[in-house]
Amino acid sequence: MQINQTHRTVLRALAETVVPSMQRPEDPTGFWSLSGSDLKANLAVEQALTGLPEQQRAGLLALLDGLHTHGFAAASPAEREQLISGVAQLGPEAAAAMHALVNYALTDEVDQRIARRSLEAQIRLHAAAGAQEIVPFAATARRWRAGEDLEAFIAEMQSLPLGVGGHRLFSAHQMSSCRMGTDPATSVANPWGELHDTPGVYIGDASALPTATGVNPMISTMAMAHRTATAIAQTATTAASAVH
């Protein structure tokens, strides 16, 4: 099964749904106006599809066919997100194609309450810090600008659903959950990544960072993993020499 023009049209719409163009008056470089298709994300996905095994490719193309049947390309952003959410109902092939994707619903009452409280706190913090504009990461064109009613904006943001058609939920770059340090009372591992309470067990990923980096941690994580691996190798060599 080969990709066709219909598939390409849906892929373009998907790219523009995930990364929409945002029109902002203060955008001298045009960064915010760039959509996923402007960044050629749809072309990258098309290229990746060609390299997949036939069965996987057929399933993903069946997904694109299903979205096309439901008018995905012509739908509004909110309608597109609803269609993506209900993709498993498009047919068994399309549902099977989604097995590689992680999908979850924020349905627990406590989680919902904490999430909404967090949204409110973030808005108030930005406003208190002097923000001139607050742009929600949500399926809405609503913005808050300095001088406007903050309470009304918070209430409107609280009314949006948590998930499809509302606030976009995602997770990335978790750091510092098992931080390194010299004090076992405030850290999990020593400065070389070895657990304080379990000698011989090491942590070599981003969770060992003492604090969040504030930037993409890929290179830092790779460097730390290399450093930790070197420490493990040196410890093993020293132990072996002591035995002999």
Side-chain angles (χ1 to χ4, degrees):
M1 189 175 184
Q2 300 300 316
I3 191 167
N4 57 38
Q5 191 56 45
T6 296
H7 298 142
R8 293 188 179 95
T9 300
V10 175
L11 275 177
R12 182 183 181 91
L14 273 170
E16 293 171 352
T17 302
V18 176
V19 183
S21 173
M22 299 173 61
Q23 302 303 318
R24 303 185 65 185
E26 304 86 12
D27 187 18
T29 64
F31 172 80
W32 291 99
S33 66
L34 295 175
S35 68
S37 63
D38 293 326
L39 298 171
K40 312 301 183 185
N42 51 311
L43 300 181
V45 173
E46 179 179 342
Q47 183 176 6
L49 283 172
T50 61
L52 290 176
E54 177 61 30
Q55 185 176 3
Q56 289 181 322
R57 183 169 65 252
L60 287 167
L61 294 181
L63 165 64
L64 298 180
D65 287 333
L67 290 174
H68 171 71
T69 300
H70 285 70
F72 185 83
S76 68
E79 290 170 338
R80 288 178 181 177
E81 293 199 6
Q82 291 288 352
L83 285 169
I84 293 172
S85 177
V87 71
Q89 302 175 15
L90 298 179
E93 294 86 0
M98 297 303 289
H99 284 335
L101 303 180
V102 177
N103 187 26
Y104 62 92
L106 194 65
T107 55
D108 183 80
E109 187 273 333
V110 174
D111 288 341
Q112 289 187 8
R113 186 171 68 249
I114 292 173
R116 294 196 181 282
R117 179 68 184 89
S118 299
L119 286 169
E120 177 185 351
Q122 290 178 66
I123 293 171
R124 294 190 186 281
L125 282 169
H126 281 85
Q132 294 300 301
E133 182 180 17
I134 298 176
V135 181
F137 191 53
T140 177
R142 182 75 164 86
R143 306 284 186 271
W144 177 86
R145 293 179 175 83
E148 295 179 348
D149 189 333
L150 185 66
E151 298 304 320
F153 177 71
I154 290 174
E156 189 172 341
M157 294 302 100
Q158 296 283 30
S159 70
L160 293 175
L162 295 168
V164 175
H167 295 286
R168 296 183 173 91
L169 305 177
F170 69 98
S171 180
H173 304 320
Q174 286 72 32
M175 290 176 262
S176 311
S177 57
C178 297
R179 67 184 60 171
M180 298 185 296
T182 57
D183 185 358
T186 59
S187 60
V188 174
N190 67 23
W192 292 99
E194 186 176 21
L195 298 186
H196 289 302
D197 60 359
T198 313
V201 177
Y202 290 78
I203 301 173
D205 64 2
S207 62
L209 289 168
T211 189
T213 61
V215 296
N216 189 301
M218 183 181 72
I219 300 300
S220 298
T221 304
M222 293 170 65
M224 186 174 64
H226 185 275
R227 175 180 179 271
T228 302
T230 300
I232 294 172
Q234 290 175 343
T235 300
T237 301
T238 301
S241 299
V243 171
H244 294 292

